[in-house]
Amino acid sequence: MLIMIKRLFPLLLAIVTVACKSPQLRPPAIGLIADSAMVVSAHPLASEVGARILKQGGNAVDAAVATQLVLAVVYPSAGNLGGGGFMVLRKHDGTLHSLDYREKAPELSYTDMYLDETGKVKRGLSEKGHLSSGVPGSVAGMFESHARHGFLSWKELVQPAVDLALAGFPVTPRQAHSLNDLQDTLRRYNTITPEFLLKEWHEGDTIVWEDLGHTLERIRDEGAAGFYRGKTADDIVAEMRRGNGLITHADLQAYQPVWRSPVTGTYKDFKVISMGPPSSGGIALLQLLSSVEKYPIQEWGHNAPKTVHLMTEAQRRVYADRAAWLGDPDFFKVPVSQMISKSYNESRMRSFDPRKATPSKVIREGDALKESHETTHLSVVDQYGNAVAVTTTLNDSYGSAVVVAGSGFFLNDEMDDFSIKPGEPNMYGVTGGEANKIEPNKRMLSSMTPTILERNGKLFMVLGTPGGSTIITSVFQTIVNVIEFEMHMQQAVNAKRIHSQWLPEVVFPESGALSNQDSLTLVSMGHRFDAEYWDGIGRVDAIRVLPDGRLEGGADPRGDDASAGW
Ligand code: DON
């Protein structure tokens, strides 16, 4: 989850504020170490179930599926049945796979559906309520990944989520807070109010998801058909009719996940394997790594002004490309190989000036054609040497806020990830145009970046994070923290992050990421800080293979995230 706290202080005060260390955050510097197998996810109960599935002989795909299903119960702001996601898999034999189960625009959607007759954006319609939902892909994706690569029976993987939904589980302080914040939104956007969620929540209260438990039983007994057909599908369509949404039975029945080639590249002697379009994540990550590869950032230091300047300049160029060239590859020809080539990214960095910032208005997308704030991530390494990175989302917290009556799960608000009007920023401030316009059955562009690294042909690291457009820069910084600054996995996850993205032309540091002096140095180079700071960019959940073969978890202390292993 992207926790963005806006502080409306004047600029100087903001610079002073970002210099203060966050007092409550004293996370451990070394993460959980396990001999054989590990799961790191956004909730301790989900990580424990994943590790138990591995102990029972399941593989990384089995554990990833069981963990995702438990997250749909115990972490409902992002874990989901009503959203979509991506899985990147590296099998023990070195083969690479990625599964796209991103949501799709309903058949009845159209390019200008969020504009009024004068062409003005109708604010909010793509962000909350029934019209903001794409056709969910999560259940189809989990079912397909298990059918192709799982060991254990499907039923064994779904049962822990059924049990937790029906027996209930205690809410954490963070969850109590987030559910309390949700009360008015729930009342506003639901046609049939989910009464069981409406109350003042306290730490330790038990939350029982009766309808969701029965939906999970149907999924357990009937597989993907338990979601895309029968009662669950009827409930989704009835919900859409009541709330003027667009998803039909035909949309649900037609939904198919797609196996796609992961994008791969190198950073020094590491191989980087990540998600390709319709995510921008993998391409942008490879572009960022190539853009900074030749510079001595180890010598400059972590979050030092020179390092931050270089990364910000690389990010400016890469996010300008993202806005122009990235979209669903089934609808738009994305120039993948050109965008991730070393020579292209070197040429993009030719205008880099080590002394001053390049104004974003003079940066446009490169000629890539010519030469040729809710989500959750989990990382798994199993005892057989398989590795899985999954990022899955409802988009922002609790998605559309619509709970499907009778079936008990939240629907996504992923339609906001389309470019609803050329140049119009979405909720993460990213823009787009032709490549990412709304078209029926098209997948909206994502920033999700589930990623796996190899070194010398061996598994090295598994990672990813939520955070909207900050996902890419959080994954980028975590990789650089381990490779360049030789941090432990947990330290690399804990380290303060800094985000920027071409437009808006602003650098967003986490509280405590920059000293006063370093902030002023960056301002003197032409960088701008907004009169707000971000308290908690991303929630990176990662695993690193140590030189002796053991595993170190990095569970993000910004959330309730936890590592479990044995
Ligand atoms: O796919 C995407 O890029 C966004 N829907 C992800 C949203 C997200 O990470 C929100 N989490 N804080």
Side-chain angles (χ1 to χ4, degrees), residues 266 285-294 340 342 345:
T266 58
L285 173 66
L286 293 173
Q287 288 191 279
L288 289 174
L289 289 168
S290 294
S291 302
V292 305
E293 193 168 10
K294 296 235 162 95
I340 63 177
K342 297 274 181 207
N345 290 294

Side-chain angles (χ1 to χ4, degrees), residues 140-447:
M142 288 186 270
F143 192 72
E144 171 63 22
S145 63
H146 170 260
R148 183 74 70 93
H149 294 288
F151 275 3
L152 300 185
S153 73
W154 174 249
K155 288 190 179 188
E156 282 172 281
L157 306 186
V158 188
Q159 193 60 44
V162 172
D163 293 342
L164 278 160
L166 295 180
F169 61 93
V171 301
T172 68
R174 266 195 193 84
Q175 286 181 321
H177 183 76
S178 117
L179 285 166
N180 289 338
D181 274 357
L182 186 70
Q183 302 287 302
D184 290 344
T185 312
L186 280 175
R187 284 195 194 89
R188 179 156 170 208
Y189 291 104
N190 281 282
T191 52
I192 299 176
T193 318
E195 297 292 339
F196 72 107
L197 289 175
L198 293 180
K199 60 170 255 190
E200 193 179 323
W201 291 91
H202 300 283
E203 173 185 3
D205 285 354
T206 299
I207 180 162
V208 177
W209 293 89
E210 179 110 29
D211 287 342
L212 175 60
H214 297 312
T215 302
L216 284 161
E217 285 175 332
R218 292 193 291 280
I219 292 169
R220 176 195 64 195
D221 298 339
E222 297 158 40
F227 183 88
Y228 293 93
R229 291 166 190 271
K231 172 168 163 51
T232 319
D234 291 347
D235 286 347
I236 295 173
V237 172
E239 188 63 63
M240 288 289 132
R241 289 208 182 110
R242 282 194 302 275
N244 299 321
L246 300 182
I247 300 171
T248 62
H249 277 293
D251 285 324
L252 292 168
Q253 283 169 23
Y255 187 86
Q256 290 295 335
V258 185
W259 290 101
R260 302 187 189 272
S261 302
V263 290
T264 61
T266 58
Y267 178 74
K268 303 195 171 168
D269 54 346
F270 296 85
K271 179 170 174 178
V272 182
I273 303 138
S274 193
M275 191 69 215
S279 184
S280 60
I283 290 179
L285 173 66
L286 293 173
Q287 288 191 279
L288 289 174
L289 289 168
S290 294
S291 302
V292 305
E293 193 168 10
K294 296 235 162 95
Y295 296 87
I297 47 184
Q298 186 169 34
E299 195 181 294
W300 293 344
H302 176 252
N303 284 357
K306 279 182 167 183
T307 311
V308 176
H309 173 59
L310 173 72
M311 287 182 164
T312 305
E313 291 299 296
Q315 284 155 199
R316 211 187 292 278
R317 287 155 179 81
V318 167
Y319 278 81
D321 273 358
R322 181 193 188 279
W325 298 127
L326 268 303
D328 181 346
D330 295 342
F331 284 74
F332 183 86
K333 195 164 166 14
V334 181
V336 180
S337 52
Q338 169 61 12
M339 291 183 83
I340 63 177
S341 74
K342 297 274 181 207
S343 58
Y344 173 73
N345 290 294
E346 276 162 23
S347 76
R348 292 285 284 153
M349 287 300 279
R350 248 173 240 140
S351 58
F352 168 66
D353 180 337
R355 285 150 307 154
K356 63 177 203 303
T358 326
S360 286
K361 66 174 184 299
V362 308
I363 299 279
R364 298 253 66 91
E365 70 274 14
D367 200 351
L369 289 178
K370 196 169 132 209
E371 291 169 47
S372 46
H373 288 293
E374 175 101 19
T375 300
T376 188
H377 176 83
L378 59 107
S379 294
V380 187
V381 175
D382 69 20
Q383 61 277 28
Y384 313 108
N386 303 299
V388 167
V390 166
T391 315
T392 177
T393 186
L394 288 166
N395 201 14
D396 69 336
S397 240
Y398 302 96
S400 64
V402 173
V403 178
V404 175
S407 282
F409 57 87
F410 283 97
L411 282 170
N412 68 82
D413 59 336
E414 219 71 63
M415 291 296 283
D416 191 62
D417 273 348
F418 278 117
S419 167
I420 60 177
K421 184 180 174 178
E424 182 75 25
N426 77 355
M427 69 169 84
Y428 303 106
V430 284
T431 55
E434 187 64 22
N436 189 32
K437 70 179 184 193
I438 302 172
E439 294 175 76
N441 300 312
K442 186 176 178 179
R443 286 160 153 94
M444 55 296 281
L445 183 61
S446 175
S447 298

